[in-house]
């Protein structure tokens, strides 16, 4: 009788331990699933800034906006959805957004204006800037860009 009772207690303990382990595994599995579903989108969060100065390190920021593109367009950019679409079309290559305007008439004065983009695009670190001779040149070259027109 004594051995039967010990065997019964051992069986119940094993059953309880198996149940506890199964529950813990299920809880860990659900945590893994929830963490994985949070990372479906690579981050795309940028700060775009413009201001007078010869380069991004020495420019005085006069305007800046935030732009988030994943999972959905957001931020303080005035046309976030259009800006995200434009950046997606060039795979986040900001150099593709600034094109010389063939018929622009600007003075040759040197009053440098720098525009910059800092942050992350689809998980890739972005630290881009370009400097224009003056505001007229910048506006002419960015006239066709929604992303950099803020």
């Amino acid at each position: 009788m004594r051995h039967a009772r010990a065997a019964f207690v051992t069986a119940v303990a094993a059953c309880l331990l198996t149940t506890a382990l199964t529950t813990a595994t299920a809880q860990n599995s659900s945590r893994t699933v929830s963490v994985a579903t949070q990372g479906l989108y690579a981050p795309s969060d940028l700060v775009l800034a413009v201001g007078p100065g010869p380069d991004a390190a020495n420019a005085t920021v006069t305007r800046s906006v935030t732009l988030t593109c994943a999972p959905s367009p957001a931020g303080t950019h005035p046309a976030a959805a259009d800006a995200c679409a434009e950046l997606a079309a060039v795979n986040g290559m900001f150099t593709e957004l600034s094109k010389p305007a063939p018929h622009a008439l600007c003075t040759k004065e040197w009053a440098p204006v720098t525009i910059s983009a800092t942050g992350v695009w689809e998980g890739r670190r972005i630290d881009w800037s370009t400097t224009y001779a003056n505001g007229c040149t910048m506006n002419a070259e960015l006239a066709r860009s929604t992303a950099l027109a803020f």
Side-chain angles (χ1 to χ4, degrees):
M1 182 77 165
R2 192 174 201 177
H3 291 298
R5 183 179 289 183
F8 177 73
V9 169
T10 302
V12 169
C15 185
L16 290 173
L17 182 59
T18 301
T19 303
L21 287 174
T22 304
T23 303
T25 302
Q27 288 173 346
N28 286 338
S29 295
S30 67
R31 280 191 213 126
T32 302
V33 170
S34 67
V35 168
T37 56
Q38 290 174 355
L40 288 177
Y41 302 97
S44 291
D45 293 311
L46 300 162
V47 174
L48 308 173
V50 64
D55 55 45
N58 295 304
T60 302
V61 175
T62 56
R63 279 191 327 262
S64 67
V65 295
T66 58
L67 179 63
T68 298
C69 292
S72 61
T76 60
H77 194 289
D82 293 338
C84 290
E86 183 178 30
L87 284 168
V90 297
N91 195 27
M93 302 300 293
F94 283 87
T95 54
E96 298 296 316
L97 302 178
S98 177
K99 301 291 182 188
H103 302 294
L105 297 174
C106 292
T107 63
K108 299 287 184 183
E109 72 179 301
W110 179 248
V113 179
T114 299
I115 190 165
S116 63
T118 306
V120 179
W121 174 259
E122 294 183 349
R124 186 178 79 238
R125 178 83 173 108
I126 299 292
D127 192 9
W128 171 87
S129 67
T130 190
T131 301
Y132 300 94
N134 54 53
C136 177
T137 305
M138 181 187 75
N139 291 333
E141 291 193 19
L142 298 178
R144 296 181 298 262
S145 174
T146 303
L148 296 177
F150 55 90

